[in-house]
Amino acid sequence: MNLSRREFLQILAIAAAQGMPLASGRAMAAARSGNLYELGKPQGNVTLMHFTDCHAQLLPGYFREPDVNIGVGDARGRPPHLVGDALLRHFGIRPGTREAHAYTHLDYVAAARTFGKIGGFAHLATLVRQIRAQRPGALLLDGGDNWQGSATALWSQGQDMIDASKLLGVDIMTGHWEFTYGAKRVQEVVSKDFKGQIEFLAQNIRTADFDDPVFPSYTLREFSGARVAVIGQAFPYTPIANPRHFVADWTFGIQEERLQRVIEEVRNKGAHAVVLLSHNGMDTDLKLASRVSGLDVILGGHTHDAIPRPVPVKNRGGQTLVTNAGSNGKFLGVLELDVRGGGVKSVNYRLLPVFANLLDADTGMAELIKKHRAPYETRLGETLAVSEGLLFRRGNFNGSFDQLILDALLATQDAEIAFSPGFRWGTSILPGAPITTEDVMNMTAITYPFVTTSNITGENLKNLLEDICDNLFNPDPYYQQGGDMVRVGGLQYACDPTQKIGSRISDMRLKGKNIEATVTYKLASWAPVAEGASGEPVWDVVTRYLRDRKVIKPPVLNRPRVTGVAGNPGLAAIR
Amino acid sequence: MKDLRRNFLKLAGGAGAMAVTVAAGLLKPGSAWAAPWNKTAFESKASADAIKNLGAAELVESKDITITAPDIAENGAIVPVAVTSKIPNTQNISIIAEKNPFPLAASFDISAGGDAYVSTRVKMGQTSDVRAVVKAGGKFYTAVKEVKVTVGGCG
């Protein structure tokens, strides 16, 4: 029997869907033998490396994967909506291993202490060099959310990341949070810093007035015997999820009809393989793959899902493989295509976890990082408090660092209820570790950090929670925005993700008393999207709170009572 | 060139240009302006009444009508909506935002032989189905697309 890689993947997917534990692919086998980064014999003539959503994390750190990532409707129980043991079973990963630690929250603190920090651009640079040595001509693709997420990125308008990306050897990029520095800054970087080195692609950004393209849609690259098209797809809902005034003259959207035309255009120009570098989010990519034909692979990001194997999706033209490569510099995807006779004959994909203690720091990159940090080093290193518990962010409903932010807002803003946005970026802090200014900025560094308070009626509070919840749990991914649920302090509620908008949120209470529709409550929140909003930056509020407390006890997570999802493999037992 | 067009638009806008753009279709010369304003349809407060007042007793779902509109509106105040009808002898295309206080947002007469493609911007205060109603050969056809209007934030 001579199975092609595609057929093999299909069988894997079918078997996995039936819940069969699987012996996993080469990467896992290599990992068990200790050669995580040895690729072995080439699996084709085209190699594309892919990282995404690094969120400006230049230094190695910790990032805990979610224990709550619920899928509803068709997405129930399918990647990416698997957490913990369910994820390990689906992908055939042995519990207790390095890979199990990379992909799940299981036994997080002990495993983090055993396996050490992840990511870091100096270590990533070494890995990229090792891959290039094994696969000459390999391209490096960055899915975006690179310039935002740290103090140094914010204070330099992304310059540290721009310089680091060039040194890393990024060839092609698309974007999302990049746009929160404003349209002008992005265009300046693309036309000056990136010129002749990094191509910034986005088929789905046009001018609002005449529908003119703002960036090229695609690039054609030659490999030995193969022409490969890479098409860029920026985050479609940038003007909605982030302040619209940063990109007031541009319009985004998924634009699948235009994407189909671009695919036809590159095929007509002789592309043997077509890859979409996407910041849609995995659920959106899975739907897109079913509706658009002619894409071989979607290299995806945005939703921060670390998915060890591609998900095959059937469509009119055959099949498209969909990947998602995690976040925080924790993973490097390596895609090999065997292109022969005018098309892709087989595909091999590995998602390599970047373990800092398995990769030497690249000296050139380490120098560059040091240079960029030098002016801020003292300030970044200031210890504000010590954390007794694990601090993290990721998860559908709340994270312990978000709880800390909520506690700080409630303590300082004279408000009964606090909201903190459901961002998916932000690092983790191990128990006993100091919380530094740098840590606080890793959780809050945005260009619209203002804390605001408002008076809101119970009815509007309910409508707001319903609206945000629908952005997460609408069964149609095209109506999702890819963030998590707003984190809520002070207010208790119940949430049934399987219901429709208007019926998911119930049993809203404040200190045990029912929320009344007509009563007005004082709400504190941060990251307003309205133009002209102002207020104290949230990092100052949190910093003051930490300095006052000095020791932070493990925050008690205020999570909604989640109903309707018993047994959902996207929900780990909450301890 | 792009800048020229932009400057022109600004000037035209300042001079009070037509708010509605009929992109590639042909407005019936004269009659589009002279056509009697369907007051009752535009002043209807429910989508069903607006449809009735357009003269449609019965609507047939049609796959030959394409509505191009965002899945999630970037700005509810100006939601771009375009409608293409491939139904032969299309005479009129109307756009209804079902949950708007006055649901009928626009109604275009198409002259014989004109491209049945219209494009405009609709103000929407909340998530709603956007319905296209096409009159062709004296019959009425329809298609629907949901446009979500959200408060935003939380990327």
Side-chain angles (χ1 to χ4, degrees), chain A residues 1-249:
Chain A
M1 194 168 74
N2 201 356
L3 281 180
S4 78
R5 179 74 190 173
R6 273 195 178 184
E7 287 161 339
F8 178 64
L9 279 170
Q10 272 171 333
I11 292 166
L12 280 182
I14 292 161
Q18 290 165 346
M20 289 164 60
L22 294 168
S24 56
R26 274 171 177 277
M28 303 304 167
R32 276 196 286 275
S33 67
N35 300 317
L36 194 56
Y37 307 124
E38 291 291 332
L39 299 184
K41 230 176 70 197
Q43 305 286 308
N45 48 352
V46 173
T47 302
L48 303 177
M49 292 177 280
H50 173 235
F51 73 101
T52 189
D53 299 86
C54 74
H55 283 286
Q57 293 304 310
L58 284 176
L59 298 180
Y62 296 102
F63 184 82
R64 177 189 180 273
E65 299 297 333
D67 58 9
V68 185
N69 189 13
I70 296 166
V72 296
D74 293 344
R76 187 188 187 278
R78 294 193 326 202
H81 297 286
L82 300 168
V83 299
D85 294 317
L87 184 144
L88 297 186
R89 273 198 304 276
H90 182 90
F91 290 108
I93 299 169
R94 227 159 21 108
T97 59
R98 230 174 229 290
E99 290 68 39
H101 173 55
Y103 290 112
T104 69
H105 69 283
L106 296 169
D107 205 9
Y108 182 76
V109 173
R113 294 200 201 282
T114 304
F115 298 116
K117 292 183 173 178
I118 52 87
F121 262 51
H123 305 271
L124 183 61
T126 297
L127 179 56
V128 166
R129 206 180 53 232
Q130 287 182 7
I131 304 297
R132 283 202 159 118
Q134 298 174 73
R135 300 287 187 269
L139 293 180
L140 179 59
L141 279 53
D142 173 5
D145 280 3
N146 177 320
W147 309 354
Q148 176 277 338
S150 75
T152 53
L154 182 71
W155 295 336
S156 68
Q157 297 276 294
Q159 196 62 47
D160 60 338
M161 298 311 300
I162 291 155
D163 293 348
S165 295
K166 286 167 71 180
L167 187 62
L168 188 66
V170 172
D171 295 288
I172 300 162
M173 150 175 212
T174 190
H176 165 204
W177 275 92
E178 285 72 15
F179 303 118
T180 62
Y181 291 108
K184 214 181 224 169
R185 173 65 174 150
V186 177
Q187 284 184 310
E188 174 192 75
V189 173
V190 169
S191 64
K192 291 184 185 146
D193 299 70
F194 281 3
K195 197 164 188 264
Q197 193 174 337
I198 301 178
E199 283 196 88
F200 193 97
L201 307 176
Q203 71 87 19
N204 58 333
I205 303 179
R206 297 272 174 140
T207 61
D209 51 7
F210 289 106
D211 211 31
D212 291 321
V214 177
F215 303 100
S217 296
Y218 65 87
T219 180
L220 286 166
R221 298 298 183 106
E222 303 289 336
F223 292 77
S224 61
R227 180 175 292 174
V228 177
V230 177
I231 302 170
Q233 174 88 357
F235 176 49
Y237 297 131
T238 302
I240 300 159
N242 306 98
R244 193 174 67 236
H245 62 88
F246 290 132
V247 285
D249 297 332

Side-chain angles (χ1 to χ4, degrees), chain A residues 209 244 252 467 470-471 479, chain B residues 6 71 74 146 148 150 153:
Chain A
D209 51 7
R244 193 174 67 236
F252 291 63
D467 187 278
D470 194 57
N471 291 335
Y479 294 103
Chain B
R6 250 162 226 131
D71 298 300
E74 292 181 357
E146 187 185 23
K148 187 169 159 178
T150 164

Side-chain angles (χ1 to χ4, degrees), chain A residues 237-567:
Chain A
Y237 297 131
T238 302
I240 300 159
N242 306 98
R244 193 174 67 236
H245 62 88
F246 290 132
V247 285
D249 297 332
W250 296 350
T251 176
F252 291 63
I254 296 168
Q255 310 295 350
E256 63 177 28
E257 287 157 30
R258 193 191 296 146
L259 173 62
Q260 189 66 64
R261 288 197 296 273
V262 174
I263 295 167
E264 271 143 38
E265 184 182 336
V266 297
R267 290 282 181 194
N268 287 337
K269 286 189 171 173
H272 305 117
V274 184
V275 171
L276 185 71
L277 176 62
S278 165
H279 204 96
N280 277 334
M282 187 152 188
D283 293 291
T284 300
D285 279 334
L286 290 169
K287 179 175 173 185
L288 185 73
S290 74
R291 293 167 60 90
V292 166
S293 64
L295 288 174
D296 293 292
V297 182
I298 298 179
L299 294 174
H302 181 54
T303 37
H304 294 195
D305 302 306
I307 304 299
R309 277 201 305 271
V311 175
V313 178
K314 292 243 176 288
N315 54 47
R316 271 179 295 121
Q319 180 180 270
T320 301
L321 297 178
V322 177
T323 75
N324 211 269
S327 68
N328 279 257
K330 194 172 169 180
F331 297 95
L332 181 71
V334 180
L335 176 74
E336 288 180 276
L337 305 174
D338 187 11
V339 181
R340 266 179 295 142
V344 175
K345 294 295 166 234
S346 67
V347 179
N348 184 51
Y349 179 80
R350 299 170 171 87
L351 187 61
L352 303 176
V354 181
F355 282 105
N357 58 15
L358 296 184
L359 295 155
D360 291 332
D362 176 84
T363 48
M365 186 65 82
E367 287 287 313
L368 182 138
I369 295 169
K370 201 174 155 197
K371 189 193 87 185
H372 274 286
R373 293 175 59 86
Y376 313 113
E377 200 68 67
T378 317
R379 190 174 164 195
L380 293 171
E382 188 191 344
T383 294
L384 306 171
V386 172
S387 175
E388 287 189 349
L390 170 70
L391 297 178
F392 64 95
R393 172 165 281 158
R394 188 74 176 85
N396 279 163
F397 294 105
N398 205 353
S400 48
F401 204 104
D402 286 317
Q403 187 64 51
L404 173 64
I405 294 173
L406 294 167
D407 292 345
L409 290 174
L410 288 174
T412 60
Q413 303 301 308
D414 188 29
E416 308 159 89
I417 302 169
F419 278 8
S420 187
F423 295 139
R424 293 190 173 191
W425 46 269
T427 53
S428 305
I429 300 167
L430 297 188
I435 307 172
T436 62
T437 297
E438 178 157 35
D439 293 323
V440 171
M441 295 304 289
N442 280 337
M443 309 303 283
T444 57
I446 63 174
T447 54
Y448 51 107
F450 317 113
V451 172
T452 59
T453 57
S454 57
N455 292 311
I456 182 167
T457 63
E459 185 183 5
N460 285 341
L461 205 51
K462 159 98 156 82
N463 290 340
L464 194 55
L465 289 174
E466 290 281 1
D467 187 278
I468 300 167
C469 203
D470 194 57
N471 291 335
L472 178 59
F473 293 123
N474 191 307
D476 182 344
Y478 280 16
Y479 294 103
Q480 299 170 1
Q481 288 174 29
D484 278 314
M485 184 61 183
V486 64
R487 281 69 167 109
V488 177
L491 174 79
Q492 273 91 46
Y493 68 100
C495 175
D496 182 348
T498 64
Q499 297 298 310
K500 282 190 170 156
I501 187 165
S503 311
R504 291 193 184 97
I505 309 294
S506 62
D507 200 17
M508 294 165 61
R509 289 163 191 272
L510 191 61
K511 296 191 182 95
K513 274 177 67 184
N514 286 336
I515 292 284
E516 300 291 339
T518 54
V519 172
T520 298
Y521 301 89
K522 190 167 175 194
L523 171 68
S525 61
W526 64 285
V529 293
E531 188 166 13
S534 63
E536 192 180 8
V538 69
W539 50 76
D540 284 347
V541 173
V542 174
T543 296
R544 238 184 4 255
Y545 178 82
L546 291 172
R547 279 192 185 129
D548 284 352
R549 299 291 183 289
K550 292 188 182 65
V551 175
I552 298 300
K553 300 217 169 299
V556 181
L557 288 192
N558 181 35
R559 291 202 258 207
R561 188 162 54 80
V562 181
T563 61
V565 289

